[in-house]
Amino acid sequence: MEHNVRSGRKWEEFKANISHIAICIGLTLFVWIFYVSTQGMASRDLILDLNVVEEGMMTASSNFTAGKKTVRLTVKANKDMVKGISDQYFRAYVDISDKVDEGTFDFPVQIEFTDKAEGIDALSIEGINPKKVSLAIEKKTSKPVPITVTVLGTQARGYMVSDTDAFPSYVMISGPRSIVEATDFIATDAVDIEGVARNLEQDVSLVNENSLISLESSSVKVKVSFSQVETSRDFKNVPVQLSDLSTKFRVDNAPFTVDVSLSGSQLGLERLLVSQIYVSADCSKISGTGKYDIPIVVSVPSGFKEVSKSRSTVPVEVTLLERLEEPELESPDDEETHSVKPDEKDDDKSGENVVSASPGLVPWETVP
């Protein structure tokens, strides 16, 4: 009986202290969990690119002040997993979509988890630096600008770039109002023309040197055209050919030469020989002895043109060609047939020293 009373008292004491016991057990468990959890966690710093969300009518017109285009993010996670966490798990951005006025404003830096962060236990963000950035914004605008083809290298000898074309010739650009207004053209990547002599066509990329503007297309087809270099060359002592002189005359002061300057392609002129240049003086209208200024004519192969010559005429001195006459056999019976009447002889001598000059030929003097 006494034993039962004693057991009942102990049970009552236990029930009276059970709440204290539960509190102690809970505190112990909490301390144990906290200790375990803190002992198994680690932190690391990440550098994130800072993006600008532009879903309204405004856009960034300059880079972030003080060159801040990245943020430092401190994260915490399970010690075994924290080493595998990279900047690909987060996205840092500022949102300017609700702005409607141009100017410079402070924007808070916002962080969001990407799909790669799913499944990482106890992953948390401990700190962001900087927490806000200053950014200049302007209204978005666009316009078409011409495309300039860029070439690099030296074309084949004797050739030159005669034309460059892009298809299409314009590209639409978009971005901050002031920057778009100041952009006059968009260049292409350099087209290599080293040693090239024939026209070429190829696809090339457009070069966007300002990250604040965007291009409607990223590449175009270009055509680079070539032509031969035109130049001139002097030819010295080119012979002058005297043509169509009557067989009864001779020229006493020949031969003649002339210096000629020709224009044409560089390569063609280098191959052209003096023998291929024909210079002539037409003597067909000379009908008497004397001195004449005969115009000269320069004839060249196709593709070349006369630029100048050292003389336009040649001073031709013409005399009668001496011929050996065979003795004439006379017969007594034929004396009256071959005799020359005195008046006929006089008439013949009267025209002996006459020079007949045709139009265009200027006699200097007659030969007695």
Side-chain angles (χ1 to χ4, degrees), residues 230-276:
E230 294 290 319
T231 186
S232 60
R233 178 187 170 190
D234 295 332
F235 295 84
K236 303 291 186 180
N237 300 319
V238 181
V240 178
Q241 308 295 328
L242 302 179
S243 62
D244 298 326
L245 180 66
S246 174
T247 56
K248 66 181 180 180
F249 298 119
R250 70 178 184 186
V251 177
D252 292 338
N253 59 336
F256 302 101
T257 62
V258 63
D259 298 338
V260 178
S261 178
L262 301 180
S263 66
S265 68
Q266 177 184 337
L267 298 179
L269 286 172
E270 291 175 355
R271 294 191 295 263
L272 187 64
L273 304 176
V274 172
S275 60
Q276 295 176 277

Side-chain angles (χ1 to χ4, degrees), residues 104-228:
T104 301
F105 305 93
D106 289 336
F107 296 93
V109 176
Q110 303 181 55
I111 304 295
E112 68 179 10
F113 293 91
T114 66
D115 293 340
K116 289 189 175 182
E118 294 182 2
I120 305 298
D121 294 334
L123 177 60
S124 62
I125 297 173
E126 297 292 305
I128 304 171
N129 184 28
K131 293 184 178 181
K132 63 181 179 178
V133 294
S134 183
L135 186 63
I137 61 175
E138 291 182 4
K139 290 183 178 180
K140 295 178 183 178
T141 187
S142 60
K143 75 173 185 180
V145 294
I147 296 172
T148 299
V149 179
T150 304
V151 297
L152 177 66
T154 303
Q155 61 275 4
R157 183 175 176 276
Y159 288 85
M160 60 181 290
V161 176
S162 59
D163 199 9
T164 57
D165 297 288
F167 307 96
S169 58
Y170 283 79
V171 63
M172 187 69 70
I173 65 172
S174 301
R177 173 190 51 77
S178 61
I179 298 177
V180 169
E181 291 175 354
T183 303
D184 297 323
F185 66 91
I186 294 295
T188 67
D189 271 342
V191 179
D192 186 6
I193 62 169
E194 187 67 34
V196 177
R198 295 183 178 180
N199 297 346
L200 58 84
E201 295 185 14
Q202 64 184 63
D203 293 326
V204 296
S205 299
L206 295 175
V207 178
N208 185 2
E209 296 181 344
N210 194 324
S211 60
L212 296 175
I213 65 173
S214 60
L215 310 182
E216 187 178 44
S217 58
S218 59
S219 65
V220 293
K221 182 182 291 294
V222 299
K223 178 180 180 181
V224 182
S225 302
F226 297 85
S227 61
Q228 293 197 36

Side-chain angles (χ1 to χ4, degrees), residues 290-353:
K291 295 182 179 180
Y292 298 87
D293 278 330
I294 308 297
I296 60 177
V297 177
V298 178
S299 300
V300 294
S302 175
F304 304 99
K305 292 181 180 180
E306 175 191 335
V307 176
S308 64
K309 49 183 177 285
S310 59
R311 56 168 65 176
S312 58
T313 62
V314 288
V316 176
E317 298 180 8
V318 178
T319 60
L320 287 171
L321 185 64
E322 295 181 359
R323 296 180 182 276
L324 294 177
E325 297 183 2
E326 296 182 0
E328 187 176 328
L329 299 177
E330 295 186 0
S331 163
D333 296 337
D334 297 333
E335 285 184 2
E336 293 184 2
T337 304
H338 295 281
S339 62
V340 180
K341 296 182 180 180
D343 57 340
E344 291 176 345
K345 291 181 180 181
D346 293 340
D347 292 341
D348 186 56
K349 291 179 180 181
S350 63
E352 195 172 61
N353 294 329

Side-chain angles (χ1 to χ4, degrees), residues 16-31:
N17 294 323
I18 191 169
S19 59
H20 296 91
I21 296 172
I23 293 174
C24 291
I25 293 173
L27 289 173
T28 303
L29 182 62
F30 174 78
V31 171

